[in-house]
Amino acid sequence: MAVGPIQRSWHVSTPPISSPATQGEIIDENTALLSSYNLVLALPFLADKYDAVENKIDRRSIPALNFYEGAKMAFDVLAGEGINLDVSVLDTRAQEGTTIQLTNNYELQNAHLVIGSFRNSTARALASFAKKNQKTFVSPFYP
């Protein structure tokens, strides 16, 4: 007797990540709900270390790629809740100098939220930029 594939279905009820609000609504004196948010992921993808001949990525880029995949899932959930994100992804190359150069990019200059940096030196560079330009900065590994 042949057994076919097992089919399962899950129904998971999760509360929304965001609270219900209407566009333009003032949430408090410093916060308003926008129609879209500019978000920058600044991570060490090390794209300059990609070996096209061998089709191999640098193993040090794997944490950034994993974080990016998780972030994409979160963005999908937020999109389902009506939160519109304009996401830009920048490669810090795990270098402070490169990260400082990136702070001149249009995407960072116009970001509402900057997420990133796995290294202390690049985290400091992004934190300094965010403080100077009144941007919200979240570092996944450094307080």
Side-chain angles (χ1 to χ4, degrees):
M1 170 158 89
V3 177
I6 298 173
Q7 293 183 348
R8 297 181 184 165
S9 64
W10 287 272
H11 177 70
V12 179
S13 177
T14 58
I17 292 174
S18 61
S19 62
T22 58
Q23 182 178 331
E25 177 182 343
I26 303 298
I27 298 170
D28 65 37
E29 63 187 43
N30 296 315
T31 308
L33 183 66
L34 303 176
S35 61
S36 179
Y37 297 90
N38 298 327
L39 186 145
V40 171
L41 282 177
L43 300 170
F45 291 105
L46 304 170
D48 59 323
K49 306 289 186 202
Y50 171 70
D51 183 344
V53 174
E54 297 289 326
N55 194 27
K56 290 185 180 179
I57 60 170
D58 188 299
R59 64 177 174 75
R60 296 171 298 165
S61 67
I62 292 173
L65 293 168
N66 289 337
F67 186 87
Y68 175 67
E69 287 298 317
K72 284 181 16 180
M73 289 189 293
F75 300 156
D76 287 342
V77 170
L78 289 170
E81 294 181 13
I83 306 296
N84 298 314
L85 300 175
D86 181 15
V87 179
S88 298
V89 179
L90 303 177
D91 184 358
T92 66
R93 296 185 179 175
Q95 298 174 359
E96 183 178 12
T98 299
T99 304
I100 290 169
Q101 288 177 338
L102 289 174
T103 62
N104 295 317
N105 281 13
Y106 172 85
E107 293 85 4
L108 273 170
Q109 293 292 326
N110 292 291
H112 295 105
L113 174 63
V114 178
I115 299 174
S117 197
F118 288 4
R119 297 181 60 137
N120 201 13
S121 61
T122 54
R124 276 195 305 267
L126 287 172
S128 176
F129 163 81
K131 183 176 182 180
K132 178 182 172 186
N133 293 280
Q134 298 180 332
K135 306 289 182 188
T136 302
F137 170 62
V138 177
S139 176
F141 294 104
Y142 293 100

